[in-house]
Amino acid sequence: MREENCIFCKIAAGEIPSATLYEDDDFRVILDVNPASKGHALILSKEHYRNLYELDDGLASKALVLAKKMIVRLKDVLGCDGYNIVQNNEEAAGQTVFHFHMHMIPRYQGDKVGIGWHMGELKEKDKEEILNSVK
Ligand code: AMP
Ligand code: ZN
């Protein structure tokens, strides 16, 4: 499964060169070309899925296990102080390339990487509405 004109399909297949850290039958791990910090890497599925909504369940499990392996190794190589795993789904959430990928972003004490949000307060009405509709 692949999509015409999808840049990550081409990178995952090796048709466009990339700084590849790891590769297996299911995934390619590359350095992000516009890193948020030194060592920012991406896990790309080899097959085309728009995002996590569509990702095959087996691959979804494998992706997290791979992310774990990669960051456990990379934290020693990079000497970073922490890691964010980020995975954006759809434009409203910041997705710009519509082919499943996970960001592995090394964090260095005091860095200015902007991953965060204003902490709100859980409203009773929202809580009831969500709990009642999910169950
Ligand atoms: P997202 O906003 O979650 O869709 O993330 C897309 C990411 O892909 C961004 O961090 C880009 O810097 C990165 N990116 C886009 N094109 C390339 C490329 N050709 N090689 C490596 N990374 C890329
Ligand atoms: Zn694709």
Side-chain angles (χ1 to χ4, degrees), residues 31 35-41 74-84 104-113:
L31 289 176
S37 64
K38 182 181 172 185
H40 181 171
L74 285 168
K75 73 180 174 51
D76 293 337
V77 172
L78 296 165
C80 59
D81 303 305
Y83 250 102
N84 291 115
M104 296 179 290
I105 304 176
R107 300 301 302 273
Y108 302 88
Q109 210 65 52
D111 69 28
K112 298 284 188 286
V113 175

Side-chain angles (χ1 to χ4, degrees), residues 62-80:
K62 285 180 181 175
L64 192 57
V65 173
L66 177 55
K68 179 195 163 182
K69 283 189 178 145
M70 293 301 304
I71 68 169
V72 165
R73 167 101 177 96
L74 285 168
K75 73 180 174 51
D76 293 337
V77 172
L78 296 165
C80 59

Side-chain angles (χ1 to χ4, degrees), residues 7-8 11 30 32-34 42 88 94-97 101 103:
I7 186 161
F8 281 4
I11 291 174
I30 65 170
D32 196 296
V33 79
N34 295 124
L42 302 171
N88 299 326
Q95 186 175 10
T96 59
V97 180
H101 57 279
H103 297 260

Side-chain angles (χ1 to χ4, degrees), residues 1-84:
M1 234 190 347
R2 59 178 291 163
E3 191 153 292
E4 237 12 70
N5 300 324
C6 170
I7 186 161
F8 281 4
C9 278
K10 292 179 180 147
I11 291 174
E15 290 163 19
I16 293 178
S18 61
T20 295
L21 301 175
Y22 172 87
E23 184 185 4
D24 62 23
D25 288 346
D26 299 314
F27 301 102
R28 182 185 292 270
V29 180
I30 65 170
L31 289 176
D32 196 296
V33 79
N34 295 124
S37 64
K38 182 181 172 185
H40 181 171
L42 302 171
I43 297 179
L44 315 182
S45 57
K46 290 224 165 155
E47 298 220 346
H48 183 89
Y49 298 91
R50 179 176 171 87
N51 52 38
L52 189 62
Y53 297 160
E54 292 188 353
L55 189 67
D56 170 86
D57 284 356
L59 287 177
S61 315
K62 285 180 181 175
L64 192 57
V65 173
L66 177 55
K68 179 195 163 182
K69 283 189 178 145
M70 293 301 304
I71 68 169
V72 165
R73 167 101 177 96
L74 285 168
K75 73 180 174 51
D76 293 337
V77 172
L78 296 165
C80 59
D81 303 305
Y83 250 102
N84 291 115

